[in-house]
Every structure is written in structure tokens, then in C-alpha cells.
Amino acid sequence: MIKATSLKKSYGETLAVDGISFEIAAGEIYGLLGPNGAGKTTTLSILSGLLKPDSGSVTLAGVSLEGEERKAKGLLGVVPQEMTLYEELTARETLLFWGRIYGLGGKRLDERIDSLLERAGLAAKAKKRVRTFSGGMKRRLHLLTGLVHEPKALLLDEVTVGIDPQGRIALLEIVKEVAASGTAVLYTTHYLEEAEALCDRLSIIDFGKVLVEGTIDELVRSLGEGEVVSLTGSFTGESIRRALEGHDEAAILSLEDGAGLLSIDLSGPDVFRLLDSLFGKVTGVEEVSIRRPSLQSLFLKLTGREIRD
Ligand SMILES: Nc1ncnc2c1ncn2[C@@H]1O[C@H](COP(=O)(O)OP(=O)(O)O)[C@@H](O)[C@H]1O
Ligand SMILES: [Mg+2]
């Protein structure tokens, strides 16, 4: 439904998007997960036709964004990172405004707006001005502005930033319903937990490149069956490597001087010998943490850092 092929985009010296490709099926929620500056918004701006890529192409339902821009854009709903709401309009007027922009009107638009407001828990607030809304209500209304014309492809850019936990859940539920009705959804976020809870498949991106792509299960399984053990301190990478020699129940996920990420089967018969070797022979281990394989540990492995705001 949404197909991006080898997208590239630079701003002057900054290579913001460096060869990103993916394909999103109808009904699928596809995540672009990456830290600030990774290239998410730039990718989304290219998909929405706001920004021309330096190279690469986009098709929506087989319609080329370049060749048949009007037709492609009609299939598309976009909810940008910055909220574009007019404080003096009511919730209903806001959606009427967007409906008219998409060329809708009459009874059909009225009914559509009623059902959207209902679905987002905003029916009782339909006639209230946006400026009286809480942050969470504004975020939900903002999401609805991209849904008025029942798009076949929906692009969402960090739509939960600054929202409270309950508001977040309500908003993600709406996204799930939209996908369940057959819309292809691109969901960008820098929140690992959201990607984990929401996305059928995702890419982890950084510096404009896809680092890995897959379902959550596939990505987490790529870390192995064991626990993920993270070591930091003043040790050398070489000393860790030596301590692990002959221990098949341990694998190195990433390793440099002072920072190591290992996968260790802690239920294995030889685990005490392994730990003896690791902590007996290696000097300078200052911190140890152990966790189940997760997107978070995968992210740490790929980028050498935790994802943060
Ligand atoms: N309009 C712009 N002019 C110059 N550099 C930009 C512009 N927009 C984004 N960038 C740079 O491009 C990179 C990717 O940014 P962006 O796509 O906004 O990332 P994300 O949405 O993942 O935070 C960053 O290094 C950012 O500073
Ligand atoms: Mg962004």
C-alpha cells in the first residue's frame, strides 16, 4: 500500500535520510523507531509529498507520488509532529475545516465527524473551543484531522509526545482501530514501549539509515535465547573476550573497551564456571545489569546507547 524505495535527502551538509526503503501493507501498522535527529520526520515529509527526495521514489496503492501527485495525495492522511489546531475553532468546526479541504461536505461529512468525535471520546466536547481542551484532548483531535477523509494510508509523526499515560492509551487504541479497518499506518516514534505495543513490523533507524527491520518477535529473537547482560567499567574488551573462551552459553552482542553487551544462558549447567571466569579474570567491571531480550537491549546493541528524549 505504501512503498518507499531508496529514499535519500540531504539538507546542505547534513545527510538526513540515507537510502531508506520499506513497504507497508493495507491494515498494517509499521513503525519507524529512532532517536531525535534519526530522520523520521524527513522520511515522513517525503512520503507526504511535502519534501522532494534527492533520489528514490514513493508509491501509494501503486500510484506514484511524483507522476500522479493529486491522486496519490487523496489516498493519504497526515498527522504532523507539530500540532496544527486553531484555538478559536470548536472540535466540530476543526473537522469540518479539514473535511472541506479534502473536498467533502454535506450529510456524509457531518456523519463522519460525529462518528470520529464519538470514537475519540470527544462527542460531548464537539461544540467546545480547542483552547479549552487538555493536552490529551488536543492530541486526539489532532489525530482526527488526518482521518476525516478515510485515508487508505496514514502517516503519523510522534503523535503522542507530551500526552499523559491514559491519553496515550486512548490514542493508540484509535490508531489500532484505523489499521483494523484496512488502512496502512506509518507510525514514527522515539518511544520503544509504544513501538513494542503497537507495531506489526518496524525499522529501527539512526543517522538516516535502517539498522534492522522485522516484527518485534523477529527483532527480539535476533538477540538470542539467553539473558542480556550489560557490563560497564574500565575493563578491556579483550579481557572479556578471553574470559568467555570455551563458554558456548555466552555470546557477545557488542563489545568495546569499557562496555560490553553479552547474551548469556543463565539456566545453563556451566553458568557458575562462566561467571567465575568472567568476574574472576576480568578487572574493572563496575556495573552489571541483566534483562530479558527486548527492543531496548536490541537498540543498545545497535547504537551503543539507550534511547532517550
Ligand atoms: N529543515 C532542515 N534544515 C536543516 N537540517 C534539518 C532540517 N530538518 C531536519 N534537519 C536535520 O536532519 C536530520 C534528521 O532530522 P529529522 O528528520 O527531523 O529527524 P527526526 O524526526 O527523527 O528527529 C537531523 O540531523 C536534523 O537536524
Ligand atoms: Mg521528527
Side-chain angles (χ1 to χ4, degrees):
M1 177 68 221
I2 303 175
K3 185 172 180 188
T5 310
S6 308
L7 301 179
K8 285 200 183 194
K9 178 74 191 176
S10 297
Y11 302 104
E13 297 281 276
T14 311
L15 187 52
V17 172
D18 187 11
I20 289 189
S21 302
F22 51 79
E23 208 170 334
I24 311 174
E28 187 175 36
I29 304 179
Y30 186 93
L32 274 189
L33 173 68
N36 283 328
K40 302 182 296 293
T41 297
T42 304
T43 303
L44 195 128
S45 304
I46 294 170
L47 289 172
S48 64
L50 280 175
L51 204 61
K52 282 234 172 305
D54 299 333
S55 61
S57 63
V58 177
T59 59
L60 300 165
V63 179
S64 157
L65 191 56
E66 209 165 8
E68 303 165 88
E69 189 172 345
R70 265 190 81 86
K71 196 169 164 200
K73 280 190 173 168
L75 301 169
L76 202 61
V78 184
V79 182
Q81 193 169 349
E82 303 301 328
M83 279 204 278
T84 46
L85 294 174
Y86 302 101
E87 300 274 315
E88 293 308 315
L89 295 185
T90 66
R92 164 166 275 284
E93 285 165 352
T94 300
L95 298 179
L96 273 172
F97 171 82
W98 284 99
R100 295 213 176 107
I101 284 190
Y102 287 112
L104 307 175
K107 192 155 170 268
R108 181 134 175 262
L109 177 59
D110 283 338
E111 286 172 2
R112 174 77 183 148
I113 289 173
D114 288 340
S115 102
L116 285 173
L117 289 170
E118 186 68 41
R119 186 199 272 184
L122 293 172
K125 304 281 183 183
K127 291 184 177 152
K128 294 272 184 284
R129 284 180 208 277
V130 170
R131 74 172 138 78
T132 67
F133 282 20
S134 70
M137 288 161 64
K138 282 184 185 171
R139 277 284 168 197
R140 271 178 281 156
L141 181 62
H142 185 232
L143 176 64
L144 299 186
T145 64
L147 298 177
V148 179
H149 59 304
E150 302 184 64
K152 294 270 176 265
L154 182 62
L155 311 178
L156 304 178
D157 198 3
E158 309 229 28
V159 288
T160 59
V161 169
I163 203 172
D164 60 285
Q166 267 173 328
R168 176 184 305 257
I169 291 169
L171 198 132
L172 297 186
E173 278 309 311
I174 301 173
V175 174
K176 281 185 193 164
E177 281 177 36
V178 172
S181 75
T183 299
V185 179
L186 178 71
Y187 191 87
T188 82
T189 183
H190 67 273
Y191 295 121
L192 286 159
E193 323 76 59
E194 272 189 8
E196 221 153 18
L198 190 68
C199 299
D200 299 309
R201 279 190 310 134
L202 65 105
S203 287
I204 297 181
I205 68 167
D206 204 2
F207 302 109
K209 279 189 181 1
V210 173
L211 303 178
V212 284
E213 184 193 50
T215 64
I216 308 279
D217 255 16
E218 287 164 356
L219 294 178
V220 171
R221 262 191 279 127
S222 73
L223 290 168
E225 291 291 306
E227 312 293 315
V228 175
V229 177
S230 157
L231 307 172
T232 51
S234 55
F235 53 82
T236 63
E238 189 46 39
S239 65
I240 301 275
R241 205 178 292 281
R242 250 183 284 120
L244 295 181
E245 264 167 26
H247 291 284
D248 293 344
E249 64 276 43
I252 294 170
L253 298 174
S254 66
L255 182 61
E256 56 189 85
D257 290 345
L261 203 63
L262 314 174
S263 168
I264 300 181
D265 178 4
L266 291 176
S267 63
D270 257 357
V271 67
F272 287 110
R273 228 163 45 78
L274 166 65
L275 295 179
D276 265 359
S277 170
L278 194 55
F279 296 111
K281 287 187 196 158
V282 178
T283 52
V285 176
E286 280 147 28
E287 250 182 57
V288 181
S289 78
I290 300 177
R291 41 191 161 188
R292 288 297 307 152
S294 64
L295 267 193
Q296 193 180 16
S297 29
L298 178 62
F299 191 83
L300 189 62
K301 174 194 166 186
L302 292 170
T303 66
R305 58 202 157 95
E306 306 268 345
I307 199 163
R308 271 189 264 274
D309 276 317

